[in-house]
């Protein structure tokens, strides 16, 4: 069935280190994935997306990796900054977006 | 402001009362979506519109919930006879065909 989930509810990372947030999905027919960032009191904000015909896509300080064999998605944030503190959701999109539960990223000073 | 606007930002209501939320999408976006988000969870799809037509409704959208988009621009989400379980953040998003979604900041509903 359709489901997108994240492995860890919380992740703590030292400021300046790289963060890796993981996500597993179950719908092998999914062909488009998105990572969102949600800060407190705000709606989800688009970070980066990837289509199923790709296995890697890079943005500014962020990289998304897609492993279709094991149905796994990850978001890598380079040189994590205090402003990266938020809840991160992976999501699958067809006509609508299906969100996972989210990982809260804490930045340690 | 070119973003998605939601009003009110916060609503506290007594159980059994009716509430109505409004969403103003980005003006050229023909699709509008409603989501509900409870604490610690990801947003859950409720319904979406293409122009004024409501194309899909989730099982979460009980008969106490109704959404409209009468002129294909702004949308309203009404909850009748509110229950404590309706307490959540209600998010609206819009998009144009082929474009990404833009979310509003949501309406936080507290039913007491």
């Amino acid at each position: 069935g359709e489901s997108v989930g994240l492995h860890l509810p919380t992740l703590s990372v030292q400021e300046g280190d790289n963060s890796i947030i993981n996500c597993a999905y179950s719908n092998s027919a999914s062909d488009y994935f998105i990572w969102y960032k949600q800060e407190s009191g705000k709606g989800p904000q688009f970070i980066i997306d990837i289509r199923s015909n790709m296995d890697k896509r890079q943005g500014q300080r962020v990289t998304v990796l897609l492993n279709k064999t094991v149905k796994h998605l990850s978001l890598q944030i380079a040189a994590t900054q205090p402003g990266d503190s938020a809840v991160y959701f992976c999501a699958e999109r067809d006509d609508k977006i299906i969100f996972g539960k989210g990982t809260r990223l804490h930045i340690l000073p | 402001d070119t973003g998605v606007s939601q009003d009110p930002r916060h609503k506290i209501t007594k159980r059994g009362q009716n509430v109505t939320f409004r969403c103003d999408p980005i003006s050229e976006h023909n699709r509008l979506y409603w989501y509900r988000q409870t604490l610690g969870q990801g947003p859950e799809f409720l319904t979406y519109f293409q122009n004024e037509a409501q194309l899909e409704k989730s099982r979460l959208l009980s008969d106490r919930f109704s959404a409209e988009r009468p002129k294909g621009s702004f949308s309203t989400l009404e909850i009748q006879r509110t229950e404590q379980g309706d307490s959540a953040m209600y998010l609206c998003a819009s998009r144009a065909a082929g474009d990404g979604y833009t979310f509003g900041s949501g309406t936080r509903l507290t039913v007491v």
Side-chain angles (χ1 to χ4, degrees):
Chain A
E2 296 175 335
S3 103
V4 182
L6 291 176
H7 292 299
L8 291 175
T10 304
L11 177 67
S12 295
V13 175
Q14 207 76 35
E15 182 179 348
D17 286 353
N18 297 336
S19 302
I20 300 176
I21 301 172
N22 296 305
C23 173
Y25 65 94
S26 61
N27 184 3
S28 56
S30 298
D31 64 358
Y32 184 63
F33 300 91
I34 312 168
W35 280 99
Y36 284 93
K37 173 185 181 182
Q38 188 174 26
E39 296 173 289
S40 180
K42 297 183 179 179
Q45 178 186 5
F46 172 90
I47 302 173
I48 192 168
D49 58 3
I50 189 167
R51 295 197 176 276
S52 60
N53 61 353
M54 304 170 68
D55 54 19
K56 181 179 180 179
R57 190 163 187 223
Q58 287 185 292
Q60 188 176 19
R61 281 202 309 119
V62 294
T63 301
V64 56
L65 300 177
L66 175 62
N67 185 331
K68 294 180 287 295
T69 303
V70 295
K71 292 187 281 189
H72 183 269
L73 196 66
S74 69
L75 176 70
Q76 299 178 4
I77 304 173
T80 311
Q81 303 169 357
D84 295 327
S85 290
V87 179
Y88 290 82
F89 295 96
C90 66
E92 165 194 3
R93 194 198 82 179
D94 46 55
D95 283 338
K96 58 188 180 290
I97 299 173
I98 300 167
F99 288 86
K101 288 186 178 180
T103 291
R104 179 171 295 280
L105 180 63
H106 291 285
I107 312 304
L108 304 172
Chain B
D1 185 5
T2 57
V4 176
S5 177
Q6 292 190 245
D7 182 71
R9 289 296 311 274
H10 304 274
K11 177 71 177 178
I12 300 174
T13 191
K14 291 183 178 179
R15 190 174 51 186
Q17 297 294 306
N18 299 342
V19 294
T20 300
F21 310 140
R22 176 178 171 126
C23 172
D24 286 90
I26 292 172
S27 58
E28 61 268 26
H29 285 185
N30 61 345
R31 287 199 172 188
L32 185 150
Y33 300 77
W34 284 100
Y35 285 80
R36 182 177 72 184
Q37 185 175 26
T38 53
L39 200 61
Q41 303 296 314
E44 298 171 295
F45 170 77
L46 292 178
T47 188
Y48 87 93
F49 294 83
Q50 180 161 304
N51 300 312
E52 64 275 10
Q54 189 173 15
L55 295 188
E56 187 175 345
K57 293 193 286 186
S58 161
R59 291 189 304 271
L60 294 174
L61 212 67
S62 76
D63 57 5
R64 296 186 297 105
F65 288 69
S66 62
E68 294 183 342
R69 195 183 183 196
K71 299 180 181 178
S73 56
F74 74 91
S75 175
T76 58
L77 177 69
E78 182 183 16
I79 308 174
Q80 296 183 326
R81 305 181 302 282
T82 52
E83 302 172 356
Q84 287 190 318
D86 297 330
S87 294
M89 174 77 85
Y90 290 85
L91 291 162
C92 176
S94 70
R95 67 184 282 243
D99 285 354
Y101 291 70
T102 301
F103 280 86
S105 292
T107 293
R108 180 166 293 285
L109 173 67
T110 302
V111 181
V112 297

